[in-house]
Amino acid sequence: MLRTGKALCELNGTSGREENVREFILGKIEGKCEYRVDPLGNIIAFKKGKKRAKNKVMLTAHMDEVGFIITYITEDGFLRFDTVGGIDEKVIAGRAVTVGEQNVPGVIGIKPIHLTDKAEAGKVPSVSKLYIDIGASDRAEAEKYVSVGDSAYFISPFEEFGDSRIKAKALDDRFGCAVMLDMIQSETEYDAFFVFLVQEEVGLRGSVAAAYSVDPDYAIVLEATTAADVAGVREEDCVCALSKGAVISFMDRSTIYDRRLFKRAFELARENGVPCQVKTAVAGGNDAGSIHKSRGGVYTLTVSLPCRYIHSATSVADKRDMNACRQLAVLLLSDFANAETL
């Protein structure tokens, strides 16, 4: 699973530009399950299990990552851009990026500190004040390599460090895709739908269509979530922490989760020795926000990977937490597939 996660994180694919990720996933599931690609680009896969499920269960993870889109090329050959998805402006300036279909290397530039005035000093520059420098001498040269509408991505290799840590771009949510690929390639207890979603980072768009067409009884959303267990943050403000297992939410900005499912997740984790923790903040949101209110309503639960520095060039997670998320997803799939009506 870690090797697959590495390969996925090193692919580029912002919202609406997930084709590289989609082709990789299709290559991995060919012959392992039935699947189709819908008009938005979601992969909807059906995996037969050892037993027929009483309830239709759908597991999801999104393929897209946050990034940038080129909006203008200046006469001097610099690239103006906007963000795709939620990126804090504080983590942008000075970062190395790759731009366009030719993967042109560039740097996100900023006015030198020596030239800033008192009003600008100490302030985080807005995206509108930044630019990407690809080394072009003028617009004509830049246009040989880049077009308006092209995507740009953080350059950040996947690396292991510390005791059990990994750092990479796009852990949100290529980790979830890796978990689902591992489950598809293994034997499952019950039939299930595995759905790889597009355009989560710009408004949960792919999940709207996928949930409507699959029409599940239960949904398990595999995600990454903010871990703020870092220096200077009080314990009660950490949200969740690395090395403490899978994260279960009771509420976020897009979903109030069914209390019975919330409790059941912790029961299964405790009974099976899977480390699990509560997300102790009402923050963020994910594809559960559209899935749970699809058609006549769907019983939905989110299982998240705690992730430091999320939506940045280099997110950090723990391999043990990844394994805990996978273990809990398998347990929930079997439990929901055979559950009595709540």
Side-chain angles (χ1 to χ4, degrees), residues 277-315:
Q277 59 183 307
V278 179
K279 181 176 178 177
T280 60
V282 178
N286 56 64
D287 283 312
S290 58
I291 294 170
H292 81 280
K293 55 189 179 184
S294 178
R295 288 185 180 259
V298 180
Y299 294 119
T300 306
L301 189 71
T302 295
V303 178
S304 299
L305 174 74
C307 191
R308 292 177 185 162
Y309 327 123
I310 201 166
H311 285 201
S312 74
T314 307
S315 298

PDB file of all heavy atoms in Angstrom, residues 277-315:
ATOM      1  N   GLN A 277      -9.281   7.673  16.964  1.00  0.00           N
ATOM      2  CA  GLN A 277      -9.397   8.909  17.736  1.00  0.00           C
ATOM      3  C   GLN A 277     -10.521   9.773  17.178  1.00  0.00           C
ATOM      4  O   GLN A 277     -10.951   9.614  16.031  1.00  0.00           O
ATOM      5  CB  GLN A 277      -8.082   9.685  17.709  1.00  0.00           C
ATOM      6  CG  GLN A 277      -7.616  10.056  16.319  1.00  0.00           C
ATOM      7  CD  GLN A 277      -6.274  10.751  16.295  1.00  0.00           C
ATOM      8  OE1 GLN A 277      -6.059  11.746  16.992  1.00  0.00           O
ATOM      9  NE2 GLN A 277      -5.348  10.244  15.473  1.00  0.00           N
ATOM     10  N   VAL A 278     -10.978  10.711  18.002  1.00  0.00           N
ATOM     11  CA  VAL A 278     -12.038  11.635  17.608  1.00  0.00           C
ATOM     12  C   VAL A 278     -11.429  12.887  16.994  1.00  0.00           C
ATOM     13  O   VAL A 278     -10.409  13.394  17.473  1.00  0.00           O
ATOM     14  CB  VAL A 278     -12.888  12.046  18.830  1.00  0.00           C
ATOM     15  CG1 VAL A 278     -13.975  13.043  18.409  1.00  0.00           C
ATOM     16  CG2 VAL A 278     -13.526  10.834  19.481  1.00  0.00           C
ATOM     17  N   LYS A 279     -12.046  13.392  15.958  1.00  0.00           N
ATOM     18  CA  LYS A 279     -11.702  14.715  15.437  1.00  0.00           C
ATOM     19  C   LYS A 279     -12.370  15.740  16.342  1.00  0.00           C
ATOM     20  O   LYS A 279     -13.597  15.876  16.346  1.00  0.00           O
ATOM     21  CB  LYS A 279     -12.180  14.869  13.992  1.00  0.00           C
ATOM     22  CG  LYS A 279     -11.840  16.222  13.386  1.00  0.00           C
ATOM     23  CD  LYS A 279     -12.258  16.302  11.917  1.00  0.00           C
ATOM     24  CE  LYS A 279     -11.949  17.676  11.331  1.00  0.00           C
ATOM     25  NZ  LYS A 279     -12.269  17.757   9.890  1.00  0.00           N
ATOM     26  N   THR A 280     -11.572  16.462  17.121  1.00  0.00           N
ATOM     27  CA  THR A 280     -12.102  17.306  18.186  1.00  0.00           C
ATOM     28  C   THR A 280     -12.318  18.745  17.752  1.00  0.00           C
ATOM     29  O   THR A 280     -12.038  19.683  18.508  1.00  0.00           O
ATOM     30  CB  THR A 280     -11.171  17.259  19.407  1.00  0.00           C
ATOM     31  OG1 THR A 280      -9.875  17.744  19.012  1.00  0.00           O
ATOM     32  CG2 THR A 280     -11.054  15.858  19.967  1.00  0.00           C
ATOM     33  N   ALA A 281     -12.799  18.940  16.555  1.00  0.00           N
ATOM     34  CA  ALA A 281     -13.129  20.273  16.071  1.00  0.00           C
ATOM     35  C   ALA A 281     -14.167  20.164  14.974  1.00  0.00           C
ATOM     36  O   ALA A 281     -14.188  19.186  14.223  1.00  0.00           O
ATOM     37  CB  ALA A 281     -11.888  20.983  15.542  1.00  0.00           C
ATOM     38  N   VAL A 282     -15.027  21.169  14.905  1.00  0.00           N
ATOM     39  CA  VAL A 282     -15.977  21.253  13.796  1.00  0.00           C
ATOM     40  C   VAL A 282     -15.303  22.117  12.742  1.00  0.00           C
ATOM     41  O   VAL A 282     -15.372  23.345  12.758  1.00  0.00           O
ATOM     42  CB  VAL A 282     -17.309  21.866  14.252  1.00  0.00           C
ATOM     43  CG1 VAL A 282     -18.274  21.987  13.072  1.00  0.00           C
ATOM     44  CG2 VAL A 282     -17.919  21.011  15.362  1.00  0.00           C
ATOM     45  N   ALA A 283     -14.604  21.465  11.831  1.00  0.00           N
ATOM     46  CA  ALA A 283     -13.792  22.186  10.847  1.00  0.00           C
ATOM     47  C   ALA A 283     -13.698  21.383   9.564  1.00  0.00           C
ATOM     48  O   ALA A 283     -13.840  20.157   9.562  1.00  0.00           O
ATOM     49  CB  ALA A 283     -12.392  22.440  11.411  1.00  0.00           C
ATOM     50  N   GLY A 284     -13.439  22.080   8.466  1.00  0.00           N
ATOM     51  CA  GLY A 284     -13.253  21.405   7.196  1.00  0.00           C
ATOM     52  C   GLY A 284     -14.528  20.779   6.680  1.00  0.00           C
ATOM     53  O   GLY A 284     -15.636  21.057   7.146  1.00  0.00           O
ATOM     54  N   GLY A 285     -14.365  19.924   5.710  1.00  0.00           N
ATOM     55  CA  GLY A 285     -15.484  19.230   5.092  1.00  0.00           C
ATOM     56  C   GLY A 285     -14.955  18.301   4.027  1.00  0.00           C
ATOM     57  O   GLY A 285     -13.793  18.384   3.638  1.00  0.00           O
ATOM     58  N   ASN A 286     -15.773  17.386   3.565  1.00  0.00           N
ATOM     59  CA  ASN A 286     -15.330  16.411   2.566  1.00  0.00           C
ATOM     60  C   ASN A 286     -16.538  15.898   1.796  1.00  0.00           C
ATOM     61  O   ASN A 286     -17.646  16.412   1.957  1.00  0.00           O
ATOM     62  CB  ASN A 286     -14.552  15.273   3.236  1.00  0.00           C
ATOM     63  CG  ASN A 286     -15.366  14.595   4.318  1.00  0.00           C
ATOM     64  OD1 ASN A 286     -16.399  13.984   4.054  1.00  0.00           O
ATOM     65  ND2 ASN A 286     -14.904  14.697   5.566  1.00  0.00           N
ATOM     66  N   ASP A 287     -16.324  14.880   0.977  1.00  0.00           N
ATOM     67  CA  ASP A 287     -17.384  14.389   0.107  1.00  0.00           C
ATOM     68  C   ASP A 287     -18.597  13.844   0.856  1.00  0.00           C
ATOM     69  O   ASP A 287     -19.669  13.702   0.256  1.00  0.00           O
ATOM     70  CB  ASP A 287     -16.831  13.320  -0.831  1.00  0.00           C
ATOM     71  CG  ASP A 287     -16.025  13.911  -1.978  1.00  0.00           C
ATOM     72  OD1 ASP A 287     -16.522  14.866  -2.611  1.00  0.00           O
ATOM     73  OD2 ASP A 287     -14.899  13.452  -2.239  1.00  0.00           O
ATOM     74  N   ALA A 288     -18.463  13.574   2.138  1.00  0.00           N
ATOM     75  CA  ALA A 288     -19.636  13.165   2.918  1.00  0.00           C
ATOM     76  C   ALA A 288     -20.724  14.227   2.849  1.00  0.00           C
ATOM     77  O   ALA A 288     -21.919  13.923   2.914  1.00  0.00           O
ATOM     78  CB  ALA A 288     -19.243  12.916   4.372  1.00  0.00           C
ATOM     79  N   GLY A 289     -20.300  15.494   2.680  1.00  0.00           N
ATOM     80  CA  GLY A 289     -21.266  16.586   2.659  1.00  0.00           C
ATOM     81  C   GLY A 289     -22.301  16.480   1.555  1.00  0.00           C
ATOM     82  O   GLY A 289     -23.460  16.883   1.737  1.00  0.00           O
ATOM     83  N   SER A 290     -21.907  15.950   0.412  1.00  0.00           N
ATOM     84  CA  SER A 290     -22.881  15.758  -0.664  1.00  0.00           C
ATOM     85  C   SER A 290     -23.458  14.349  -0.660  1.00  0.00           C
ATOM     86  O   SER A 290     -24.621  14.153  -1.005  1.00  0.00           O
ATOM     87  CB  SER A 290     -22.234  16.057  -2.019  1.00  0.00           C
ATOM     88  OG  SER A 290     -21.110  15.236  -2.242  1.00  0.00           O
ATOM     89  N   ILE A 291     -22.663  13.369  -0.243  1.00  0.00           N
ATOM     90  CA  ILE A 291     -23.127  11.977  -0.277  1.00  0.00           C
ATOM     91  C   ILE A 291     -24.281  11.749   0.689  1.00  0.00           C
ATOM     92  O   ILE A 291     -25.287  11.107   0.336  1.00  0.00           O
ATOM     93  CB  ILE A 291     -21.962  11.015   0.041  1.00  0.00           C
ATOM     94  CG1 ILE A 291     -20.912  11.062  -1.067  1.00  0.00           C
ATOM     95  CG2 ILE A 291     -22.482   9.588   0.236  1.00  0.00           C
ATOM     96  CD1 ILE A 291     -19.621  10.344  -0.732  1.00  0.00           C
ATOM     97  N   HIS A 292     -24.193  12.273   1.897  1.00  0.00           N
ATOM     98  CA  HIS A 292     -25.191  11.926   2.916  1.00  0.00           C
ATOM     99  C   HIS A 292     -26.588  12.449   2.587  1.00  0.00           C
ATOM    100  O   HIS A 292     -27.590  11.934   3.085  1.00  0.00           O
ATOM    101  CB  HIS A 292     -24.750  12.409   4.306  1.00  0.00           C
ATOM    102  CG  HIS A 292     -25.013  13.854   4.584  1.00  0.00           C
ATOM    103  ND1 HIS A 292     -24.211  14.861   4.120  1.00  0.00           N
ATOM    104  CD2 HIS A 292     -26.000  14.462   5.303  1.00  0.00           C
ATOM    105  CE1 HIS A 292     -24.667  16.028   4.547  1.00  0.00           C
ATOM    106  NE2 HIS A 292     -25.753  15.818   5.260  1.00  0.00           N
ATOM    107  N   LYS A 293     -26.666  13.457   1.715  1.00  0.00           N
ATOM    108  CA  LYS A 293     -27.978  13.998   1.373  1.00  0.00           C
ATOM    109  C   LYS A 293     -28.384  13.680  -0.068  1.00  0.00           C
ATOM    110  O   LYS A 293     -29.286  14.298  -0.629  1.00  0.00           O
ATOM    111  CB  LYS A 293     -28.019  15.505   1.614  1.00  0.00           C
ATOM    112  CG  LYS A 293     -26.935  16.299   0.911  1.00  0.00           C
ATOM    113  CD  LYS A 293     -26.924  17.748   1.393  1.00  0.00           C
ATOM    114  CE  LYS A 293     -25.813  18.539   0.696  1.00  0.00           C
ATOM    115  NZ  LYS A 293     -25.720  19.916   1.207  1.00  0.00           N
ATOM    116  N   SER A 294     -27.741  12.685  -0.658  1.00  0.00           N
ATOM    117  CA  SER A 294     -28.091  12.270  -2.014  1.00  0.00           C
ATOM    118  C   SER A 294     -29.397  11.482  -2.015  1.00  0.00           C
ATOM    119  O   SER A 294     -29.674  10.706  -1.096  1.00  0.00           O
ATOM    120  CB  SER A 294     -26.964  11.405  -2.589  1.00  0.00           C
ATOM    121  OG  SER A 294     -27.284  10.943  -3.886  1.00  0.00           O
ATOM    122  N   ARG A 295     -30.165  11.685  -3.056  1.00  0.00           N
ATOM    123  CA  ARG A 295     -31.463  11.007  -3.220  1.00  0.00           C
ATOM    124  C   ARG A 295     -32.271  11.090  -1.927  1.00  0.00           C
ATOM    125  O   ARG A 295     -32.553  12.163  -1.434  1.00  0.00           O
ATOM    126  CB  ARG A 295     -31.260   9.560  -3.668  1.00  0.00           C
ATOM    127  CG  ARG A 295     -30.798   9.421  -5.128  1.00  0.00           C
ATOM    128  CD  ARG A 295     -30.737   7.964  -5.532  1.00  0.00           C
ATOM    129  NE  ARG A 295     -30.315   7.794  -6.901  1.00  0.00           N
ATOM    130  CZ  ARG A 295     -31.119   7.538  -7.918  1.00  0.00           C
ATOM    131  NH1 ARG A 295     -32.424   7.426  -7.711  1.00  0.00           N
ATOM    132  NH2 ARG A 295     -30.648   7.369  -9.141  1.00  0.00           N
ATOM    133  N   GLY A 296     -32.591   9.923  -1.322  1.00  0.00           N
ATOM    134  CA  GLY A 296     -33.388   9.921  -0.097  1.00  0.00           C
ATOM    135  C   GLY A 296     -32.559   9.918   1.166  1.00  0.00           C
ATOM    136  O   GLY A 296     -33.101   9.761   2.266  1.00  0.00           O
ATOM    137  N   GLY A 297     -31.237  10.106   1.029  1.00  0.00           N
ATOM    138  CA  GLY A 297     -30.353  10.123   2.193  1.00  0.00           C
ATOM    139  C   GLY A 297     -29.514   8.856   2.277  1.00  0.00           C
ATOM    140  O   GLY A 297     -29.967   7.769   1.902  1.00  0.00           O
ATOM    141  N   VAL A 298     -28.275   9.004   2.728  1.00  0.00           N
ATOM    142  CA  VAL A 298     -27.331   7.886   2.810  1.00  0.00           C
ATOM    143  C   VAL A 298     -26.670   7.899   4.181  1.00  0.00           C
ATOM    144  O   VAL A 298     -26.173   8.945   4.631  1.00  0.00           O
ATOM    145  CB  VAL A 298     -26.231   8.005   1.724  1.00  0.00           C
ATOM    146  CG1 VAL A 298     -25.258   6.831   1.812  1.00  0.00           C
ATOM    147  CG2 VAL A 298     -26.847   8.088   0.335  1.00  0.00           C
ATOM    148  N   TYR A 299     -26.645   6.754   4.852  1.00  0.00           N
ATOM    149  CA  TYR A 299     -25.881   6.635   6.093  1.00  0.00           C
ATOM    150  C   TYR A 299     -24.398   6.786   5.743  1.00  0.00           C
ATOM    151  O   TYR A 299     -23.858   5.987   4.970  1.00  0.00           O
ATOM    152  CB  TYR A 299     -26.109   5.273   6.748  1.00  0.00           C
ATOM    153  CG  TYR A 299     -27.519   5.042   7.250  1.00  0.00           C
ATOM    154  CD1 TYR A 299     -28.295   4.006   6.741  1.00  0.00           C
ATOM    155  CD2 TYR A 299     -28.059   5.841   8.242  1.00  0.00           C
ATOM    156  CE1 TYR A 299     -29.588   3.774   7.205  1.00  0.00           C
ATOM    157  CE2 TYR A 299     -29.356   5.629   8.724  1.00  0.00           C
ATOM    158  CZ  TYR A 299     -30.104   4.597   8.192  1.00  0.00           C
ATOM    159  OH  TYR A 299     -31.376   4.374   8.665  1.00  0.00           O
ATOM    160  N   THR A 300     -23.756   7.796   6.290  1.00  0.00           N
ATOM    161  CA  THR A 300     -22.400   8.133   5.862  1.00  0.00           C
ATOM    162  C   THR A 300     -21.480   8.349   7.049  1.00  0.00           C
ATOM    163  O   THR A 300     -21.864   8.968   8.046  1.00  0.00           O
ATOM    164  CB  THR A 300     -22.415   9.412   4.994  1.00  0.00           C
ATOM    165  OG1 THR A 300     -23.342   9.241   3.915  1.00  0.00           O
ATOM    166  CG2 THR A 300     -21.038   9.707   4.427  1.00  0.00           C
ATOM    167  N   LEU A 301     -20.254   7.846   6.913  1.00  0.00           N
ATOM    168  CA  LEU A 301     -19.231   8.022   7.941  1.00  0.00           C
ATOM    169  C   LEU A 301     -17.912   8.350   7.250  1.00  0.00           C
ATOM    170  O   LEU A 301     -17.611   7.799   6.186  1.00  0.00           O
ATOM    171  CB  LEU A 301     -19.076   6.754   8.780  1.00  0.00           C
ATOM    172  CG  LEU A 301     -18.197   6.871  10.028  1.00  0.00           C
ATOM    173  CD1 LEU A 301     -18.885   7.705  11.104  1.00  0.00           C
ATOM    174  CD2 LEU A 301     -17.867   5.484  10.587  1.00  0.00           C
ATOM    175  N   THR A 302     -17.112   9.223   7.853  1.00  0.00           N
ATOM    176  CA  THR A 302     -15.799   9.546   7.317  1.00  0.00           C
ATOM    177  C   THR A 302     -14.700   8.981   8.211  1.00  0.00           C
ATOM    178  O   THR A 302     -14.737   9.161   9.435  1.00  0.00           O
ATOM    179  CB  THR A 302     -15.614  11.071   7.179  1.00  0.00           C
ATOM    180  OG1 THR A 302     -16.525  11.566   6.202  1.00  0.00           O
ATOM    181  CG2 THR A 302     -14.196  11.418   6.748  1.00  0.00           C
ATOM    182  N   VAL A 303     -13.751   8.305   7.598  1.00  0.00           N
ATOM    183  CA  VAL A 303     -12.555   7.790   8.280  1.00  0.00           C
ATOM    184  C   VAL A 303     -11.371   8.554   7.711  1.00  0.00           C
ATOM    185  O   VAL A 303     -11.106   8.480   6.507  1.00  0.00           O
ATOM    186  CB  VAL A 303     -12.374   6.277   8.041  1.00  0.00           C
ATOM    187  CG1 VAL A 303     -11.093   5.780   8.718  1.00  0.00           C
ATOM    188  CG2 VAL A 303     -13.587   5.503   8.556  1.00  0.00           C
ATOM    189  N   SER A 304     -10.677   9.299   8.553  1.00  0.00           N
ATOM    190  CA  SER A 304      -9.643  10.207   8.063  1.00  0.00           C
ATOM    191  C   SER A 304      -8.254   9.859   8.564  1.00  0.00           C
ATOM    192  O   SER A 304      -8.085   9.342   9.676  1.00  0.00           O
ATOM    193  CB  SER A 304      -9.964  11.653   8.481  1.00  0.00           C
ATOM    194  OG  SER A 304     -11.182  12.089   7.939  1.00  0.00           O
ATOM    195  N   LEU A 305      -7.278  10.208   7.744  1.00  0.00           N
ATOM    196  CA  LEU A 305      -5.867  10.100   8.097  1.00  0.00           C
ATOM    197  C   LEU A 305      -5.418  11.427   8.706  1.00  0.00           C
ATOM    198  O   LEU A 305      -5.555  12.472   8.066  1.00  0.00           O
ATOM    199  CB  LEU A 305      -5.037   9.817   6.841  1.00  0.00           C
ATOM    200  CG  LEU A 305      -3.519   9.818   7.007  1.00  0.00           C
ATOM    201  CD1 LEU A 305      -3.063   8.550   7.732  1.00  0.00           C
ATOM    202  CD2 LEU A 305      -2.830   9.937   5.641  1.00  0.00           C
ATOM    203  N   PRO A 306      -4.885  11.427   9.936  1.00  0.00           N
ATOM    204  CA  PRO A 306      -4.356  12.684  10.483  1.00  0.00           C
ATOM    205  C   PRO A 306      -3.154  13.149   9.681  1.00  0.00           C
ATOM    206  O   PRO A 306      -2.251  12.366   9.386  1.00  0.00           O
ATOM    207  CB  PRO A 306      -3.983  12.313  11.923  1.00  0.00           C
ATOM    208  CG  PRO A 306      -3.849  10.831  11.946  1.00  0.00           C
ATOM    209  CD  PRO A 306      -4.755  10.299  10.883  1.00  0.00           C
ATOM    210  N   CYS A 307      -3.159  14.412   9.317  1.00  0.00           N
ATOM    211  CA  CYS A 307      -2.165  14.920   8.373  1.00  0.00           C
ATOM    212  C   CYS A 307      -1.728  16.331   8.772  1.00  0.00           C
ATOM    213  O   CYS A 307      -2.543  17.253   8.783  1.00  0.00           O
ATOM    214  CB  CYS A 307      -2.782  14.919   6.978  1.00  0.00           C
ATOM    215  SG  CYS A 307      -1.644  15.210   5.638  1.00  0.00           S
ATOM    216  N   ARG A 308      -0.466  16.490   9.097  1.00  0.00           N
ATOM    217  CA  ARG A 308       0.074  17.822   9.386  1.00  0.00           C
ATOM    218  C   ARG A 308       0.328  18.582   8.081  1.00  0.00           C
ATOM    219  O   ARG A 308       0.666  17.975   7.064  1.00  0.00           O
ATOM    220  CB  ARG A 308       1.385  17.716  10.160  1.00  0.00           C
ATOM    221  CG  ARG A 308       1.251  17.190  11.573  1.00  0.00           C
ATOM    222  CD  ARG A 308       2.623  17.069  12.218  1.00  0.00           C
ATOM    223  NE  ARG A 308       2.555  16.462  13.548  1.00  0.00           N
ATOM    224  CZ  ARG A 308       3.611  15.939  14.179  1.00  0.00           C
ATOM    225  NH1 ARG A 308       4.801  15.965  13.603  1.00  0.00           N
ATOM    226  NH2 ARG A 308       3.453  15.412  15.384  1.00  0.00           N
ATOM    227  N   TYR A 309       0.191  19.893   8.146  1.00  0.00           N
ATOM    228  CA  TYR A 309       0.519  20.794   7.031  1.00  0.00           C
ATOM    229  C   TYR A 309      -0.277  20.445   5.770  1.00  0.00           C
ATOM    230  O   TYR A 309       0.235  20.514   4.651  1.00  0.00           O
ATOM    231  CB  TYR A 309       2.027  20.781   6.734  1.00  0.00           C
ATOM    232  CG  TYR A 309       2.877  20.564   7.959  1.00  0.00           C
ATOM    233  CD1 TYR A 309       3.784  19.508   8.032  1.00  0.00           C
ATOM    234  CD2 TYR A 309       2.745  21.396   9.071  1.00  0.00           C
ATOM    235  CE1 TYR A 309       4.541  19.290   9.165  1.00  0.00           C
ATOM    236  CE2 TYR A 309       3.510  21.173  10.221  1.00  0.00           C
ATOM    237  CZ  TYR A 309       4.398  20.123  10.264  1.00  0.00           C
ATOM    238  OH  TYR A 309       5.133  19.900  11.399  1.00  0.00           O
ATOM    239  N   ILE A 310      -1.529  20.081   5.965  1.00  0.00           N
ATOM    240  CA  ILE A 310      -2.395  19.677   4.865  1.00  0.00           C
ATOM    241  C   ILE A 310      -2.595  20.854   3.899  1.00  0.00           C
ATOM    242  O   ILE A 310      -2.529  22.015   4.286  1.00  0.00           O
ATOM    243  CB  ILE A 310      -3.743  19.154   5.420  1.00  0.00           C
ATOM    244  CG1 ILE A 310      -4.471  18.268   4.403  1.00  0.00           C
ATOM    245  CG2 ILE A 310      -4.615  20.283   5.927  1.00  0.00           C
ATOM    246  CD1 ILE A 310      -5.620  17.474   5.001  1.00  0.00           C
ATOM    247  N   HIS A 311      -2.802  20.553   2.627  1.00  0.00           N
ATOM    248  CA  HIS A 311      -2.965  21.550   1.564  1.00  0.00           C
ATOM    249  C   HIS A 311      -1.728  22.429   1.409  1.00  0.00           C
ATOM    250  O   HIS A 311      -1.838  23.621   1.108  1.00  0.00           O
ATOM    251  CB  HIS A 311      -4.208  22.426   1.809  1.00  0.00           C
ATOM    252  CG  HIS A 311      -5.502  21.737   1.512  1.00  0.00           C
ATOM    253  ND1 HIS A 311      -6.661  22.420   1.260  1.00  0.00           N
ATOM    254  CD2 HIS A 311      -5.823  20.419   1.424  1.00  0.00           C
ATOM    255  CE1 HIS A 311      -7.644  21.563   1.024  1.00  0.00           C
ATOM    256  NE2 HIS A 311      -7.146  20.334   1.131  1.00  0.00           N
ATOM    257  N   SER A 312      -0.578  21.826   1.606  1.00  0.00           N
ATOM    258  CA  SER A 312       0.674  22.557   1.402  1.00  0.00           C
ATOM    259  C   SER A 312       1.573  21.739   0.478  1.00  0.00           C
ATOM    260  O   SER A 312       1.190  20.661   0.014  1.00  0.00           O
ATOM    261  CB  SER A 312       1.385  22.801   2.735  1.00  0.00           C
ATOM    262  OG  SER A 312       1.969  21.607   3.233  1.00  0.00           O
ATOM    263  N   ALA A 313       2.779  22.243   0.252  1.00  0.00           N
ATOM    264  CA  ALA A 313       3.713  21.513  -0.608  1.00  0.00           C
ATOM    265  C   ALA A 313       4.155  20.204   0.020  1.00  0.00           C
ATOM    266  O   ALA A 313       4.473  19.246  -0.691  1.00  0.00           O
ATOM    267  CB  ALA A 313       4.932  22.394  -0.906  1.00  0.00           C
ATOM    268  N   THR A 314       4.210  20.148   1.341  1.00  0.00           N
ATOM    269  CA  THR A 314       4.697  18.951   2.014  1.00  0.00           C
ATOM    270  C   THR A 314       3.825  18.633   3.220  1.00  0.00           C
ATOM    271  O   THR A 314       3.946  19.257   4.270  1.00  0.00           O
ATOM    272  CB  THR A 314       6.155  19.129   2.482  1.00  0.00           C
ATOM    273  OG1 THR A 314       6.952  19.548   1.377  1.00  0.00           O
ATOM    274  CG2 THR A 314       6.711  17.823   3.025  1.00  0.00           C
ATOM    275  N   SER A 315       2.926  17.671   3.054  1.00  0.00           N
ATOM    276  CA  SER A 315       2.123  17.182   4.170  1.00  0.00           C
ATOM    277  C   SER A 315       2.858  16.037   4.855  1.00  0.00           C
ATOM    278  O   SER A 315       3.685  15.370   4.237  1.00  0.00           O
ATOM    279  CB  SER A 315       0.757  16.703   3.665  1.00  0.00           C
ATOM    280  OG  SER A 315       0.041  17.769   3.078  1.00  0.00           O
TER     281      SER A 315
END
